[in-house]
């Protein structure tokens, strides 16, 4: 009889810490805006008055995410390996659907959202997970042949390029860049020839970014405000300068939970893209450092699970998920601290938003599925050793 291994409880505990902390910070960062705000979100009118508006929605998504994580954890990772093509094709099809002109998929200037009744899903988030599973399966299947130029590296690069272009067309360049970086790390870990990878990717993507900046004045303005936000602090540099004020006001120990002032409609997107600035203001350097240590522990534990697996597909899938979450956190925090241009991606597990949270929890569930197989193999080896 085949035994089932236990999941990695440390990863589960760290995930619970991040989710709990995320709900706590959404309570603090969103209450003022939810009470006073008047806006339309994904087709739904909201006129304020309920300070727990976003918190209720976030808790609902957390509940759905927990169910999705548990389901993904109890599915053997071999299922993803067998059905990688179907998963990737569905992810690709969703990216195409949101770009269809006769569908009402636009929100905040981007055609990224697929409306399903009262809920909306950001298809680019699920595309990242679909591409990760595809690349892991292809690289594992090719083995040593992956180092070959035509039959090894070209097919995964073509698929990655197709995903990248569709997401960039929405436009969502931040998510597209994270997808590209995740794919690059997976290919390098899978044994790609670095010379071939560099020669095949750098010229076309450099040309793409130059063309994008030329054809989109908004992107160029965003870069200019990143380089010098104070010159336009009442215009395009307002968001970054307010983030600076929040982080500076936090100091060493912070103002205390709920005591920040930037969320009082000074800092736009305080509960989503710039929730890290609220964390810095209310918890200070000490609290922010502790939070980042939990984040780092989660990523390192996920990486540890990947490296312990003897299955190439499982290892690469786990590396892709850890890289995706880590890069997204890096991009979000980099934007809030002025280290890189603002991209508008949420902070994984922390920011308000259902699609990102759901995908991160599904990804964590897959990592837990891998950990169960690792622990099962370890248990079987111990039992075998006792018999001998």
């Amino acid at each position: 009889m085949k035994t089932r291994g236990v999941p990695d409880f440390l990863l589960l505990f760290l995930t619970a810490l991040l989710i709990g902390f995320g709900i706590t910070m959404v309570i603090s960062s969103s209450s003022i805006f939810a009470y006073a705000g008047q806006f339309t979100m994904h087709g739904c009118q909201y006129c304020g008055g309920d300070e727990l508006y976003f918190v209720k929605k976030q808790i609902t998504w957390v509940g759905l995410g927990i169910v999705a994580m548990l389901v993904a954890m109890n599915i053997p990772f071999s299922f993803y390996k067998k059905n990688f093509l179907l998963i990737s094709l569905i992810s690709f099809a969703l990216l195409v659907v949101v770009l269809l002109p006769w569908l009402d998929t636009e929100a905040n200037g981007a055609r990224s959202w697929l409306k399903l009744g009262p809920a909306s899903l950001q298809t680019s988030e699920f595309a990242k997970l679909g591409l990760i599973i595809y690349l892991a399966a292809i690289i594992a299947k090719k083995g040593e042949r992956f180092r070959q130029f035509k039959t090894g590296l070209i097919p995964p690069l073509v698929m990655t390029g197709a995903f990248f272009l569709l997401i960039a067309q929405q436009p969502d360049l931040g998510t597209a860049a994270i997808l590209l970086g995740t794919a690059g790390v997976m290919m390098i870990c899978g044994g790609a020839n670095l010379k071939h990878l560099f020669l095949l990717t750098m010229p076309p993507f450099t040309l793409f970014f130059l063309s994008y900046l030329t054809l989109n004045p908004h992107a160029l303005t965003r870069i200019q405000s990143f380089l010098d936000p104070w010159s336009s602090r009442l215009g395009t540099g307002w968001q970054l300068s307010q983030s600076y004020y929040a982080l500076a006001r936090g100091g060493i120990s912070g103002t205390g939970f709920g005591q920040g002032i930037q969320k009082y409609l000074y800092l736009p997107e305080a509960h989503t893209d710039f929730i890290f600035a609220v964390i810095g203001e209310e918890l200070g350097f000490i609290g922010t450092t502790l939070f980042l240590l939990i984040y780092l522990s989660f990523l390192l534990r996920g990486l540890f699970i990947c490296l312990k697996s003897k299955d190439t597909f499982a290892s690469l899938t786990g590396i892709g998920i850890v890289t995706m979450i880590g890069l997204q956190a890096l991009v979000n925090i980099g934007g809030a601290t002025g280290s890189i241009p603002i991209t508008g991606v949420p902070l994984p597990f922390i920011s308000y938003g259902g699609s990102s949270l759901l995908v991160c929890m599904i990804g964590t569930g897959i990592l837990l599925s891998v950990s169960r197989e690792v622990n099962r193999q370890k248990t079987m080896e111990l039992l075998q050793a006792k018999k001998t």
Side-chain angles (χ1 to χ4, degrees):
M1 181 177 177
K2 187 176 180 180
T3 60
R4 295 294 305 274
V6 295
D8 189 272
F9 290 109
L10 179 55
L11 186 67
L12 267 174
F13 175 70
L14 292 170
T15 304
L17 275 182
L18 289 172
I19 293 171
F21 181 71
I23 292 174
T24 303
M25 291 314 303
V26 169
I27 292 173
S28 176
S29 61
S30 69
S31 58
I32 301 301
F33 180 64
Y35 185 81
Q38 296 187 22
F39 55 89
T40 301
M41 186 171 64
H42 311 322
C44 298
Q45 295 284 339
Y46 176 72
C47 297
D50 182 5
E51 61 183 16
L52 297 179
Y53 176 81
F54 293 106
V55 180
K56 294 173 184 176
K57 285 182 171 292
Q58 187 75 347
I59 291 174
T60 301
W61 280 110
V62 167
L64 292 173
I66 290 173
V67 172
M69 182 178 70
L70 293 176
V71 170
M73 180 183 75
N74 285 282
I75 296 176
F77 68 81
S78 57
F79 169 84
Y80 306 103
K81 188 175 183 179
K82 292 176 183 177
N83 297 280
F84 78 95
L85 193 56
L86 177 62
I87 293 171
S88 59
L89 287 177
I90 292 174
S91 302
F92 189 84
L94 289 175
L95 292 178
V96 174
V97 167
V98 295
L99 294 176
L100 297 176
W102 55 83
L103 291 180
D104 182 19
T105 60
E106 186 173 343
N108 298 325
R111 300 186 67 86
S112 306
W113 300 90
L114 185 63
K115 296 179 182 178
L116 301 173
S120 296
L121 295 178
Q122 192 172 3
T123 58
S124 57
E125 291 291 337
F126 295 89
K128 291 186 294 186
L129 198 55
L131 183 63
I132 287 170
I133 293 172
Y134 170 83
L135 289 176
I138 287 295
I139 295 171
K141 185 177 181 180
K142 289 181 179 295
E144 288 297 322
R145 292 186 295 112
F146 182 60
R147 291 184 60 84
Q148 297 176 7
F149 185 77
K150 291 184 179 180
T151 58
L153 191 57
I154 292 293
L157 278 179
V158 170
M159 185 63 124
T160 301
F163 271 76
F164 173 86
L165 289 174
L166 283 175
I167 295 175
Q169 185 66 27
Q170 291 181 356
D172 187 355
L173 203 56
T175 301
I178 293 168
L179 177 137
L180 192 62
T182 301
V185 170
M186 290 182 67
M187 290 182 193
I188 291 171
C189 292
N193 185 303
L194 293 181
K195 181 180 178 181
H196 292 165
L197 187 62
F198 180 82
L199 291 175
L200 285 170
T201 58
M202 288 306 294
F205 286 113
T206 300
L207 180 62
F208 170 83
F209 281 110
L210 291 176
S211 302
Y212 185 86
L213 292 176
T214 303
L215 297 174
N216 293 273
H218 173 71
L220 191 58
T221 301
R222 180 171 289 187
I223 292 178
Q224 290 171 345
S225 63
F226 151 71
L227 294 173
D228 186 11
W230 304 111
S231 64
S232 57
R233 63 183 181 276
L234 298 180
T236 56
W238 173 266
Q239 195 169 27
L240 184 53
S241 12
Q242 295 302 315
S243 180
Y244 284 156
Y245 288 138
L247 294 170
R249 190 168 183 270
I252 298 297
S253 58
T255 60
F257 175 73
Q259 301 303 309
I261 62 171
Q262 291 303 113
K263 64 191 180 187
Y264 281 79
L265 308 184
Y266 293 107
L267 176 63
E269 309 297 339
H271 59 301
T272 54
D273 304 345
F274 276 78
I275 198 169
F276 183 78
V278 178
I279 295 172
E281 182 181 14
E282 298 190 351
L283 303 184
F285 176 79
I286 296 174
T288 302
T289 301
L290 290 175
F291 160 65
L292 292 177
L293 285 175
I294 296 173
Y295 234 135
L296 183 61
S297 299
F298 172 88
L299 296 174
L300 289 176
R301 190 62 185 177
L303 188 60
F304 175 79
I305 292 170
C306 304
L307 297 179
K308 292 281 286 185
S309 176
K310 297 179 180 179
D311 186 275
T312 303
F313 169 78
S315 294
L316 287 174
T317 301
I319 288 171
I321 292 170
V322 170
T323 302
M324 174 189 73
I325 295 174
L327 280 179
Q328 186 166 324
L330 189 65
V331 169
N332 176 278
I333 295 171
T337 57
S339 304
I340 61 174
I342 298 169
T343 56
V345 298
L347 186 57
F349 296 111
I350 309 299
S351 293
Y352 168 80
S355 298
S356 175
L357 179 63
L358 193 58
V359 168
C360 286
M361 294 187 73
I362 292 173
T364 303
I366 295 174
L367 281 174
L368 291 169
S369 176
V370 174
S371 74
R372 295 188 72 170
E373 180 61 21
V374 169
N375 290 332
R376 186 192 73 81
Q377 291 177 356
K378 185 178 180 180
T379 302
M380 295 299 291
E381 289 172 0
L382 289 174
L383 292 174
Q384 189 67 29
K386 287 182 180 180
K387 289 181 181 180
T388 57

